[in-house]
């Protein structure tokens, strides 16, 4: 069992209501395309203050985030093929390689959603593996966004199986940009499919401590949210992501 999976079980059993515990699950996220440098730096300062796991941004901000977070212990995360996933695999791999070279510790890629809906596992594996090889060569880890709102349960299972086969480190529910978001039911399904060896990231619509605790109890080992501060304070966040 992975360290993160073990931590999830421990935190769920303990209630995960302690700020320092639940904060360590959160990828503090800013993915709005119009967000500027001042907003990015503000998110970095918040992440350092609350000791979130990472700051997740679009690739143009990776260097800025890496510099701002130096010495904080907070990781730098970026998204690839975002938010549609409808980019050729070699382009995704190139984009991922660049983000890792810029300093990304973690990469969240969007799968070929059309392939998942067509039950084309081979194409999914090839798409994910191309990015995984680029990411792992640079010493980073790969999270695979399957966009649960656009898939039925069988397709969700297929996508998770493809991620395992392709060598991904995590599966992730949603971009937060294509309708729907994380549900405890989807997280539980994903956890059953990938087993204890991979991380499961719940993202999209996680806005409160209760939301986060429900996801962790279902098997999530990471939470993607722009409402991270509200979550650790026990308040209700307003963001759609």
């Amino acid at each position: 069992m992975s360290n993160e999976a073990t931590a999830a079980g421990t935190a769920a059993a303990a209630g995960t209501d302690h700020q320092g515990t639940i904060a360590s699950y959160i990828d503090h996220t800013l993915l709005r395309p119009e967000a500027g440098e001042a907003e990015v730096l503000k998110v970095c300062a918040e992440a350092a203050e609350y000791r979130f796991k990472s700051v997740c941004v679009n690739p143009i901000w990776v260097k800025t985030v890496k510099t701002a977070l130096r010495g904080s212990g907070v990781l730098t995360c970026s998204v690839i093929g975002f938010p549609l996933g409808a980019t050729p695999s070699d382009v995704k791999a190139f984009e991922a390689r660049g983000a890792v070279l810029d300093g990304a510790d973690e990469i969240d890629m969007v799968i070929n959603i059309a392939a998942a809906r067509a039950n084309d596992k081979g194409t999914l594996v090839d798409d994910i593996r191309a990015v995984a090889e680029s990411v792992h060569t640079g010493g980073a880890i790969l999270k695979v966004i399957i966009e649960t709102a656009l898939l039925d349960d069988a397709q969700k299972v297929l996508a998770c199986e493809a991620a395992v086969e392709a060598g991904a480190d995590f599966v992730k529910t949603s971009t937060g940009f294509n309708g729907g978001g994380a549900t405890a039911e989807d997280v539980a399904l994903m956890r059953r499919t990938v087993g204890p060896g991979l991380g499961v990231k719940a993202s999209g619509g996680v806005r409160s401590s209760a939301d986060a605790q429900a996801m962790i109890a279902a098997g999530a080992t990471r939470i993607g949210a722009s409402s991270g501060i509200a979550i650790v304070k026990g308040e209700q966040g307003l963001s759609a992501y």
Side-chain angles (χ1 to χ4, degrees), residues 58-102:
N58 286 303
I60 59 170
W61 298 114
V62 168
K63 287 183 179 179
T64 301
V65 169
K66 189 70 171 182
T67 298
L69 293 176
R70 187 170 291 128
S72 69
V74 179
L75 301 176
T76 300
C77 176
S78 190
V79 291
I80 297 300
F82 193 89
L84 302 178
T87 307
S89 300
D90 58 346
V91 176
K92 290 181 185 177
F94 178 82
E95 186 181 18
R97 187 178 304 114
V100 173
L101 287 172
D102 282 346

Side-chain angles (χ1 to χ4, degrees), residues 3-24:
N3 290 337
E4 289 205 350
T6 302
T10 302
T16 64
D17 57 351
H18 183 270
Q19 175 177 315
T21 300
I22 202 164
S24 68

Side-chain angles (χ1 to χ4, degrees), residues 191-216:
R191 172 54 68 202
R192 290 195 299 272
T193 303
V194 303
L198 264 68
V200 176
K201 179 174 174 179
S203 64
V206 183
R207 303 185 187 96
S208 69
S209 178
D211 291 340
Q213 290 181 36
M215 299 304 168
I216 294 168

Side-chain angles (χ1 to χ4, degrees), residues 45-217:
E46 292 168 348
E49 177 182 355
Y50 288 92
R51 297 188 176 183
F52 293 131
K53 184 69 174 183
S54 82
V55 168
C56 188
V57 291
N58 286 303
I60 59 170
W61 298 114
V62 168
K63 287 183 179 179
T64 301
V65 169
K66 189 70 171 182
T67 298
L69 293 176
R70 187 170 291 128
S72 69
V74 179
L75 301 176
T76 300
C77 176
S78 190
V79 291
I80 297 300
F82 193 89
L84 302 178
T87 307
S89 300
D90 58 346
V91 176
K92 290 181 185 177
F94 178 82
E95 186 181 18
R97 187 178 304 114
V100 173
L101 287 172
D102 282 346
D105 304 294
E106 302 185 342
I107 295 294
D108 291 17
M109 71 165 285
V110 186
I111 63 166
N112 180 334
I113 298 166
R117 289 172 62 94
N119 300 305
D120 185 352
K121 186 177 182 182
T123 294
L124 283 174
V125 171
D126 290 345
D127 185 53
I128 298 165
R129 182 176 287 140
V131 180
E133 290 175 353
S134 287
V135 170
H136 292 154
T137 296
I141 73 165
L142 177 64
K143 309 191 202 87
V144 174
I145 307 171
I146 69 170
E147 202 64 290
T148 51
L150 300 182
L151 306 178
D152 64 28
D153 282 356
Q155 293 162 348
K156 294 167 193 174
V157 169
L158 182 77
C160 288
E161 290 175 343
V164 173
E165 187 173 333
D169 303 291
F170 272 77
V171 288
K172 174 179 171 181
T173 59
S174 319
T175 63
F177 283 75
N178 289 317
T183 67
E185 292 76 16
D186 282 340
V187 169
L189 176 65
M190 294 163 71
R191 172 54 68 202
R192 290 195 299 272
T193 303
V194 303
L198 264 68
V200 176
K201 179 174 174 179
S203 64
V206 183
R207 303 185 187 96
S208 69
S209 178
D211 291 340
Q213 290 181 36
M215 299 304 168
I216 294 168

